[in-house]
Amino acid sequence: MPEAFDLESFLPYRLNRAAELISLSFSREYKQRFQMTRPEWRALAALGSVGRMTATEIGTHSNMHKTKVSRAVAALEERRWLKRRENEADRRVEHLELTAAGQKAYREIADLARTYQQTLDKALGPGAIERIEAGLADVERALLNRPRKRG
Amino acid sequence: MPEAFDLESFLPYRLNRAAELISLSFSREYKQRFQMTRPEWRALAALGSVGRMTATEIGTHSNMHKTKVSRAVAALEERRWLKRRENEADRRVEHLELTAAGQKAYREIADLARTYQQTLDKALGPGAIERIEAGLADVERALLNRPRKRG
DNA sequence: AATCAATGGTTACACTTGCAACCATCTCGA
DNA sequence: TCGAGATGGTTGCAAGTGTAACCATTGATT
């Protein structure tokens, strides 16, 4: 039986290290410029690209805990970047959509993101990002296919 | 100029989503079984695989903030899984090493990790993990080569 | 030797987070 | 129509986190 264990090739560790690094590197770009947290940026991005959504949908889409979504949405609303519309058929649900100001902010940060990714793309060479993302999709699929591990 | 921005293919987002998912999935395995936080597991793993290290070295090795390392080390010490040895040449430095109990715990969790990765490996097919990790290494290299982005 | 900057490590504080508990509303079945 | 459970969303609380400030020690400069 193999006694050795190399942290350096343990996927959860490697994935987290890379994610923290890239996340920090990109968030530096918008945090100071837009005074926005990462959950807020995620919610904004989801709404900006998909359009009208509910809080639960945002959570599913971007894999965020519902309390995180709740707080991010409250912050965006506070800034008048988003407004809530009630659903007449089901009054528990709130449809969320960006205001004009919210859409403007979204476009600006999306620009930043696009530029960021282009720079990275150039540094990594053609097709590299797509290959990485395909790998990540496989991992997510593998993990979500066995959602609970006998709790 | 391209107006579209697809969050779904934005690397920082994708990387983070996958990392959070896998991290959650694995930490469920050891959190309840060993009552250990992620920084503690990382420090334990670093010490277990490398051997004697200082706190700063652990931080560099596993990309953890020094306060995180400090607290993780304190927790491991509290459990008697680690002991500090002073350096006579430089009395600021503390060399850290696992106790027998710490090594035992390390072996057990390393086993868990190895099993986890094998399961994943089987689900993903041969070579998949290696390819993903190679991609991640490229990303890290690209990001670390331009460490500061004009603050 | 005295001073000042750099380094290893810890800690106080404010902020973020997840869990659990909660409120409101809806659905289903008796 | 009444209740039990499910669902959308919010909040209190305890735990985790980074920033900045700190202490101790070392190294370089004078």
Side-chain angles (χ1 to χ4, degrees), chain A:
Chain A
M1 79 183 193
E3 258 300 332
F5 170 71
D6 186 15
L7 185 61
E8 202 59 30
S9 61
F10 185 48
L11 191 58
Y13 170 69
R14 291 299 307 281
L15 216 37
N16 264 287
R17 202 178 61 182
E20 276 163 26
L21 190 62
I22 199 171
S23 196
L24 189 66
S25 142
F26 178 63
S27 72
R28 263 200 299 261
E29 305 244 348
Y30 64 81
K31 266 201 183 126
Q32 59 184 164
R33 219 167 302 199
F34 294 91
Q35 308 264 87
M36 199 174 356
T37 69
R38 206 179 51 165
E40 289 163 37
W41 150 236
R42 281 201 188 178
L44 183 76
L47 283 172
S49 65
V50 175
R52 170 187 286 206
M53 296 173 93
T54 70
T56 301
E57 285 166 349
I58 294 178
T60 309
H61 183 79
S62 39
N63 206 39
M64 283 198 292
H65 195 275
K66 64 179 184 169
T67 62
K68 237 184 203 171
V69 176
S70 174
R71 284 154 183 155
V73 165
L76 293 177
E77 186 186 25
E78 177 83 10
R79 282 193 166 194
R80 321 271 172 197
W81 280 1
L82 156 165
K83 56 184 184 306
R84 308 177 193 243
R85 298 206 168 284
E86 74 173 20
N87 182 350
E88 286 153 27
D90 184 344
R91 306 225 321 275
R92 291 169 304 181
V93 174
E94 292 173 326
H95 294 291
L96 307 169
E97 51 187 49
L98 298 184
T99 61
Q103 287 172 21
K104 181 165 173 291
Y106 166 68
R107 279 194 301 272
E108 288 176 21
I109 311 185
D111 265 344
L112 210 58
R114 225 179 284 116
T115 305
Y116 182 88
Q117 179 123 318
Q118 278 165 8
T119 307
L120 207 52
D121 189 58
K122 215 158 283 174
L124 291 174
I129 290 182
E130 284 79 0
R131 283 193 294 277
I132 294 169
E133 290 183 351
L136 297 179
D138 291 340
V139 171
E140 288 187 335
R141 204 172 312 117
L143 291 175
L144 292 173
N145 279 350
R146 45 173 172 69
R148 59 181 57 223
K149 310 195 49 56
R150 62 133 261 143

Side-chain angles (χ1 to χ4, degrees), chain B residues 47 50-54 57 85-86 95-97:
Chain B
L47 284 171
V50 175
R52 170 186 287 205
M53 297 173 93
T54 69
E57 285 166 349
R85 298 207 168 282
E86 75 173 19
H95 294 291
L96 307 169
E97 52 187 48

Side-chain angles (χ1 to χ4, degrees), chain A residues 16-17 20-21, chain B residues 23 37-44 55-56 58-60 62-76 82 84 96:
Chain A
N16 264 287
R17 202 178 61 182
E20 276 163 26
L21 190 62
Chain B
S23 195
T37 68
R38 205 179 51 166
E40 288 163 36
W41 151 236
R42 282 200 188 179
L44 184 76
T56 302
I58 294 178
T60 309
S62 40
N63 206 39
M64 282 199 291
H65 194 274
K66 65 179 183 169
T67 63
K68 237 184 206 172
V69 176
S70 175
R71 284 155 184 155
V73 165
L76 292 176
L82 156 166
R84 309 177 192 243
L96 307 169

Side-chain angles (χ1 to χ4, degrees), chain B residues 42-43 96 98 111 118 121 133-134 151:
Chain B
R42 282 200 188 179
L96 307 169
L98 297 183
D111 265 344
Q118 278 165 7
D121 189 57
E133 290 183 349

Side-chain angles (χ1 to χ4, degrees), chain B residues 52 83-96:
Chain B
R52 170 186 287 205
K83 56 182 183 307
R84 309 177 192 243
R85 298 207 168 282
E86 75 173 19
N87 182 350
E88 285 154 26
D90 183 345
R91 304 226 321 276
R92 292 169 304 181
V93 174
E94 293 174 326
H95 294 291
L96 307 169

